[in-house]
Amino acid sequence: MIQQSWDRTVRELAERVELAQSAAAWAEAVRAPNSSSSLGERASREQVFSAVALSRARDAALLKAARFALRRRAAGRPAPLRLPHGRVLPGAAAPRWWRNAAVFRDDAGIWRVIPLPGPERLVGLPEDDPLVLDVAEQTRLLHASLLGHRNRDAYYEAFEPDGQRGQGTSVPPVAALSRRTSWKVQTWLHPGLGMRVRTDLEEEFQQANRDRHAVWERSRAYGAAVAELLGRVG
């Protein structure tokens, strides 16, 4: 019975992976420059907004479910009756406040469900097993995305423009404040100030930006890796 229960959980998780992949493919399709809707018309901005919101919600829900299932299996507990669903609403019918949260405000809550490393080593397989290593690598990549998200404001500085775009004299940040908060305070006190990425940190900024935006694809890769790992150990 326990084996059958975990088989059911693995199947449900695999279905979540497919749903997230399908939602991501649809969002990518409607965002394409020459995309067309199912009605043969060019996708509207509202369609794109809805598709991206649904895709992000599916990715966050998948990550939450995969993290939950792996931690439970690593702890030696029986399979759950059901996996957590997350906040997934049909994109086209979802209220705008929900879509705003999924796309703009909190990224569908994905940053709150980034998994911790380690549970993949406690499911009964050798630590050098390829499936264990795959989950560990996907976890590492997700944490790189989280780091990029947390540090996204640390690369900026306020500056006094000299008339050329992006050019001017750097203004030291306000002590004890983050760079973005410092910039807001400084521009409130001195409206003429601008904000730019520090020249010496441009490469790090670009990498952090890539990592941050990759969290959606990485969440799907993590979910697929966890489903495959749990399918092996049962």
Side-chain angles (χ1 to χ4, degrees):
M1 178 62 70
I2 293 179
Q3 175 66 36
Q4 292 176 352
S5 297
W6 274 109
D7 286 346
R8 184 184 65 245
T9 298
V10 171
R11 287 196 301 273
E12 183 181 351
L13 187 58
E15 290 172 359
R16 299 280 187 91
V17 173
E18 292 182 2
L19 286 171
Q21 291 172 338
S22 296
W26 174 243
E28 196 65 32
V30 299
R31 292 171 71 180
N34 298 319
S35 66
S36 298
S37 70
S38 59
L39 299 177
E41 301 171 349
R42 178 169 298 209
S44 67
R45 295 181 66 178
E46 196 69 15
Q47 285 177 304
V48 173
F49 187 44
S50 296
V52 172
L54 178 59
S55 177
R56 291 191 175 187
R58 291 252 182 237
D59 288 342
L62 169 62
L63 189 59
K64 183 177 182 178
R67 182 187 72 162
F68 172 80
L70 181 58
R71 290 173 62 182
R72 192 175 180 95
R73 183 64 181 80
R77 300 178 64 188
L81 294 177
R82 60 187 301 179
L83 292 173
H85 279 286
R87 299 178 296 172
V88 180
L89 298 175
R96 192 169 185 85
W97 65 262
W98 180 85
R99 288 178 288 168
N100 279 332
V103 176
F104 298 121
R105 191 164 64 248
D106 69 351
D107 286 336
I110 199 167
W111 306 113
R112 296 191 293 273
V113 293
I114 300 294
L116 293 174
E120 66 277 1
R121 299 196 297 267
L122 304 175
V123 297
L125 294 179
E127 291 191 10
D128 60 353
D129 185 281
L131 296 181
V132 174
L133 294 177
D134 189 18
V135 173
E137 175 62 9
Q138 300 308 326
T139 304
R140 184 191 69 79
L141 290 172
L142 283 167
H143 276 270
S145 292
L146 179 61
L147 186 63
H149 171 69
R150 287 177 172 171
N151 292 341
R152 65 190 186 280
D153 295 337
Y155 303 98
Y156 292 91
E157 66 175 0
F159 72 102
E160 184 71 47
D162 63 3
Q164 299 183 37
R165 184 171 181 177
Q167 301 298 313
T169 305
S170 298
V171 177
V174 178
L177 296 179
S178 70
R179 289 189 176 273
R180 182 169 288 272
T181 302
S182 173
W183 174 75
K184 289 179 179 179
V185 171
Q186 289 169 321
T187 53
W188 180 74
L189 294 173
H190 307 284
L193 293 181
M195 188 174 77
R196 65 186 177 190
V197 175
R198 287 175 51 187
T199 304
D200 59 325
L201 295 179
E202 283 186 1
E203 187 174 340
E204 291 181 36
F205 169 77
Q206 294 297 337
Q207 182 59 54
N209 213 31
R210 287 191 293 269
D211 282 331
R212 179 169 178 259
H213 290 295
V215 70
W216 312 104
E217 181 180 353
R218 291 172 180 178
S219 68
R220 297 189 292 276
Y222 177 85
V226 169
E228 191 171 356
L229 176 63
L230 294 182
R232 164 80 74 82
V233 300

